[in-house]
């Protein structure tokens, strides 16, 4: 039975993530789950049965934004408006604090159950989030199987004993980069890199000027690719000829933008990409 709009929000903290349910949790296994966050899209896709997923975000079909592009085309999408979500008649909506406030408020007024998640900044918090989503959709065994796959990928990406650490930064359109205290930073450390974003004055997240990279290049630039078609100026920084002129001092390796923002099952591809980049650099040394 769907709860009424006057029921209270319940909150719990689990492994570094914040969870809030507006109204009561659905009894039994939810049958129509909607995700309003691209990172939660990926978790839901991997832990739920296909028939449980009522919709994902529109990012799920964007190959530059999601690892699901090409695999989730048969799943409905929304642009995260309350009207779209209500029309889907969900019994659970997964969202983050970045989800539209107007949509969140409208769903709360209608008593539609919601689970609110923070963005995990550590691998441990990310794995906890997978388990929590899996429990919410009634699929704890599938959730643990996903966690096991991630842990195996992380173990396989650990450098061999004695392997040198490589200075690196992740560099995306407009020079956007991840600094210390981020999930990306932890993944770099786990795979044999030293994130040197701080030496360019970067905190957690921000932009690093091309001039800074040229003046003081790291050993490895883990760069995205310019968007197809007519790239913007933000994209053009990734293919600037000045980067080629310092290729003798800095090795460029691919790190797709879709791997930058999310944990969960995305960590499998992140670990593989970083381990391959390390092997490429050391193999060419």
């Amino acid at each position: 039975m769907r709860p009424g709009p006057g029921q209270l929000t319940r909150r719990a903290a689990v492994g570094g993530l914040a969870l809030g349910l507006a109204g009561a949790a659905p009894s039994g296994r939810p049958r129509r789950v909607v995700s309003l966050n691209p990172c939660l899209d990926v978790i839901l896709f991997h832990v739920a049965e296909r028939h449980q997923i009522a919709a994902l975000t529109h990012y799920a079909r964007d190959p530059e934004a999601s690892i699901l592009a090409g695999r989730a085309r048969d799943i409905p999408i929304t642009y995260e408006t309350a009207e779209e979500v209500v029309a889907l008649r969900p019994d659970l909506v997964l969202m983050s604090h970045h989800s539209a406030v107007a949509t969140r408020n409208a769903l709360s007024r209608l008593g539609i159950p919601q689970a609110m998640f923070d963005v995990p900044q550590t691998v441990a918090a990310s794995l906890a989030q997978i388990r929590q989503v899996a429990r919410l959709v009634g699929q704890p065994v599938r959730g643990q199987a996903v966690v096991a796959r991630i842990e195996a990928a992380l173990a396989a990406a650990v450098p061999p004993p004695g392997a040198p650490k490589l200075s690196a930064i992740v560099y995306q359109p407009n020079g956007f980069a991840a600094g210390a205290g981020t999930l990306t930073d932890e993944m770099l450390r786990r795979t044999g890199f030293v994130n040197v974003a701080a030496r360019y004055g970067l905190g957690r997240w921000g932009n690093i000027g091309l001039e800074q990279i040229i003046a003081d290049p790291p050993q490895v630039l883990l760069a995205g690719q310019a968007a197809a078609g007519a790239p913007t100026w933000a994209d053009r920084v990734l293919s600037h000829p000045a980067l080629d002129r310092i290729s003798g001092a800095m090795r460029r390796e691919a790190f797709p933008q879709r791997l930058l923002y999310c944990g969960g099952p995305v960590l499998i591809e992140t670990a593989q990409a970083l381990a391959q980049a390390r092997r490429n650099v050391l193999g060419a040394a």
Side-chain angles (χ1 to χ4, degrees), residues 17 114 283:
L17 62 88
Q114 304 161 43

Side-chain angles (χ1 to χ4, degrees), residues 18-108:
L19 166 68
L21 286 177
S27 59
R29 183 175 291 176
R31 293 175 293 175
R32 296 188 60 78
V33 185
V34 172
S35 167
L36 296 183
N37 176 272
C39 297
L40 295 171
D41 284 350
V42 183
I43 298 176
L44 181 63
F45 181 85
H46 282 83
V47 303
E49 297 282 359
R50 168 63 187 85
H51 63 80
Q52 290 182 278
I53 305 174
L56 303 174
T57 72
H58 62 282
Y59 294 106
R61 296 184 182 177
D62 183 349
E64 294 178 11
S66 176
I67 67 170
L68 296 182
R71 290 190 284 169
R73 290 178 180 170
D74 63 326
I75 300 177
I77 60 172
T78 76
Y79 288 84
E80 305 170 55
T81 68
E83 293 82 359
E84 292 172 304
V85 176
V86 171
L88 290 164
R89 297 175 291 106
D91 50 10
L92 179 63
V93 179
L94 307 179
M95 60 180 67
S96 79
H97 293 289
H98 298 291
S99 301
V101 174
T103 298
R104 288 159 46 187
N105 291 342
L107 299 183
S108 295

Side-chain angles (χ1 to χ4, degrees), residues 14-282:
V14 182
L17 62 88
L19 166 68
L21 286 177
S27 59
R29 183 175 291 176
R31 293 175 293 175
R32 296 188 60 78
V33 185
V34 172
S35 167
L36 296 183
N37 176 272
C39 297
L40 295 171
D41 284 350
V42 183
I43 298 176
L44 181 63
F45 181 85
H46 282 83
V47 303
E49 297 282 359
R50 168 63 187 85
H51 63 80
Q52 290 182 278
I53 305 174
L56 303 174
T57 72
H58 62 282
Y59 294 106
R61 296 184 182 177
D62 183 349
E64 294 178 11
S66 176
I67 67 170
L68 296 182
R71 290 190 284 169
R73 290 178 180 170
D74 63 326
I75 300 177
I77 60 172
T78 76
Y79 288 84
E80 305 170 55
T81 68
E83 293 82 359
E84 292 172 304
V85 176
V86 171
L88 290 164
R89 297 175 291 106
D91 50 10
L92 179 63
V93 179
L94 307 179
M95 60 180 67
S96 79
H97 293 289
H98 298 291
S99 301
V101 174
T103 298
R104 288 159 46 187
N105 291 342
L107 299 183
S108 295
R109 287 194 297 271
L110 293 170
I112 296 174
Q114 304 161 43
M116 181 73 73
F117 292 88
D118 286 333
V119 177
Q121 300 297 332
T122 66
V123 169
S126 184
L127 299 185
Q129 191 173 83
I130 294 169
R131 294 186 180 101
Q132 186 66 23
V133 172
R135 284 195 293 269
L136 283 171
V137 301
Q139 302 286 359
V141 174
R142 290 171 69 99
Q144 189 54 42
V146 173
V147 168
R149 286 175 52 213
I150 295 170
E151 290 175 334
L154 293 173
V158 173
K165 294 186 180 296
L166 301 170
S167 64
I169 58 167
V170 171
Y171 202 63
Q172 298 297 330
N174 207 32
F176 192 70
T182 62
L183 183 56
T184 300
D185 180 65
E186 181 177 347
M187 290 299 293
L188 287 169
R189 287 185 278 110
R190 282 173 173 262
T191 53
F193 295 95
V194 177
N195 185 4
V196 294
R199 83 187 191 196
Y200 305 107
L202 189 71
R204 274 200 169 187
W205 297 98
N207 302 88
I208 299 174
L210 181 62
E211 299 84 357
Q212 293 175 279
I213 300 296
I214 296 168
D216 185 17
Q219 289 174 283
V220 187
L221 189 75
L222 295 157
Q225 299 296 320
T232 64
W233 174 253
D235 290 310
R236 290 190 188 114
V237 71
L238 298 175
S239 55
H240 198 285
L243 293 175
D244 294 330
R245 290 198 289 270
I246 59 170
S247 59
M250 179 185 73
R251 176 70 179 256
R252 177 171 176 157
E253 292 292 329
F255 189 81
Q257 187 175 353
R258 64 180 177 272
L259 303 181
L260 180 61
Y261 302 106
C262 296
V266 178
L267 294 178
I268 295 173
E269 292 193 25
T270 301
Q272 292 169 344
L274 291 174
Q276 185 61 56
R278 187 192 71 240
R279 288 192 294 268
N280 291 345
V281 173
L282 294 179

